Amino acid sequence: MQIEGCVAFVTGADRGLGAGLLEKLLERGAYKVYAGVKEKGGLAAHDSRVVPVEIDITKLDQVTRAASSAKDITLLINNAGLNRTQQVLEANDLDAARAEMEVNYFGTLNMMRAFAPALKSNGGAIINILSILARIALPSMASLSASKAAALRMTEGARAELAPHHVRVISVLPGPIDTEMSRDVPPPKIPVGEAVDAVLAALEGGADEIYMGAMAQEIARGLAADRQALHARLLTL
Ligand SMILES: NC(=O)c1ccc[n+]([C@@H]2O[C@H](COP(=O)([O-])OP(=O)(O)OC[C@H]3O[C@@H](n4cnc5c(N)ncnc54)[C@H](OP(=O)(O)O)[C@@H]3O)[C@@H](O)[C@H]2O)c1
């Protein structure tokens, strides 16, 4: 899909990867970019092609309103995400696990269901920013992994449903990116600029599932070669 001339909707556009995607889409000639933010004041980009949209993706009324005001979209980037860095059994309660599932799984699903009719009619693509932890659990972030794994399976189902309508659905599975979300993760981390380029390259390439960064690619290879050995190695982290 061509980026020049597209009409995109990016969630979580106020910071991190989302802010980088917003900026790069404008640079690459997008016709219009709807910038999904929880609070409009937080948006740095000032460009007449940017349409700020106040949206919490867990709130169905806000998602529905956003979809009805953006019926011209050709590209949906579900970038908003939450990582509370929690184990599954040692966590004090289920608050983090529920919040991650609400944002990473149900929020992304809300967006896809609301925007699918416009994409079916306009043609285009959906990119879901998932995580390499959708494929394997890092024990210290296992509840995040569960929510991203659910989102990965959901993305595969949506891909099959939208294929007859010529809407591409792409899963992006990054390793650590250098943003606020991974501030406590030791390096190496993917610079935001590189991550942005990898997401947009996915649109121009033909693959449906993209492993971003050396760590994600190594894990994907490890899973294909010897899943049990890789799991045993992660237990020690
Ligand atoms: N950073 C990493 O190492 C890494 C690795 C793999 C995958 N990812 C994925 O990459 C994506 C971007 O993350 P990032 O690194 O840029 O993290 P970030 O800096 O923490 O940004 C997360 C963004 O998501 C938004 N968001 C959170 N909950 C939301 C909700 N309910 N409704 C709407 N927006 C919401 C945040 O909005 P507010 O600013 O209003 O909170 C923020 O804009 C996420 O899906 C993340 O899981 C990141």
Side-chain angles (χ1 to χ4, degrees):
M1 181 184 156
Q2 210 179 313
I3 291 157
E4 191 176 350
C6 77
V7 177
F9 195 117
V10 182
T11 60
D14 60 334
R15 60 191 170 98
L17 181 60
L21 284 165
L22 171 60
E23 200 181 304
K24 188 61 112 181
L25 283 165
L26 295 169
E27 195 183 305
R28 298 269 316 258
Y31 178 74
K32 190 196 284 185
V33 186
Y34 294 98
V37 285
K38 282 200 289 189
E39 284 169 31
K40 274 188 192 169
L43 208 54
H46 295 290
D47 186 299
S48 57
R49 294 169 293 161
V50 177
V51 182
V53 179
E54 218 163 85
I55 183 171
D56 178 329
I57 62 168
T58 67
K59 307 248 162 68
L60 188 55
D61 57 333
Q62 294 185 19
V63 173
T64 306
R65 203 177 318 128
S68 63
S69 71
K71 288 194 174 131
D72 52 349
I73 69 156
T74 57
L75 172 63
L76 171 63
I77 305 186
N78 285 310
N79 164 75
L82 184 70
N83 182 357
R84 290 273 179 86
T85 317
Q86 291 284 321
Q87 296 171 291
V88 279
L89 303 183
E90 291 297 321
N92 288 334
D93 51 41
L94 291 182
D95 291 357
R98 282 192 209 286
E100 288 164 338
M101 202 56 98
E102 279 300 329
V103 176
N104 299 333
Y105 176 68
F106 287 109
T108 304
L109 181 54
N110 277 340
M111 290 296 292
M112 295 180 81
R113 288 169 55 88
F115 283 88
L119 286 165
K120 282 182 190 171
S121 121
N122 303 339
I126 299 175
I127 302 180
N128 285 349
I129 308 296
L130 304 173
S131 167
I132 186 56
L133 298 181
R135 295 285 321 279
I136 194 158
L138 194 62
S140 59
M141 300 180 186
S143 66
L144 170 278
S145 300
S147 68
K148 291 286 188 179
L152 175 60
R153 289 286 98 84
M154 178 272 285
T155 304
E156 290 164 0
R159 178 177 302 129
E161 287 188 51
L162 290 174
H165 302 279
H166 308 290
V167 178
R168 254 185 97 193
V169 179
I170 301 167
S171 305
V172 175
L173 290 82
I177 307 170
D178 196 5
T179 67
E180 181 63 21
M181 185 179 281
S182 60
R183 66 184 178 280
D184 298 327
V185 176
K189 295 184 246 192
I190 308 163
V192 172
E194 267 179 39
V196 166
D197 288 342
V199 173
L200 297 186
L203 259 187
E204 294 164 320
D208 290 334
E209 197 167 282
I210 308 295
Y211 291 87
M212 183 202 289
M215 182 192 289
Q217 285 158 14
E218 192 190 325
I219 290 176
R221 277 194 299 275
L223 285 168
D226 188 343
R227 188 178 178 84
Q228 284 194 27
L230 186 66
H231 274 273
R233 189 142 58 88
L234 283 177
L235 283 181
T236 64
L237 294 180

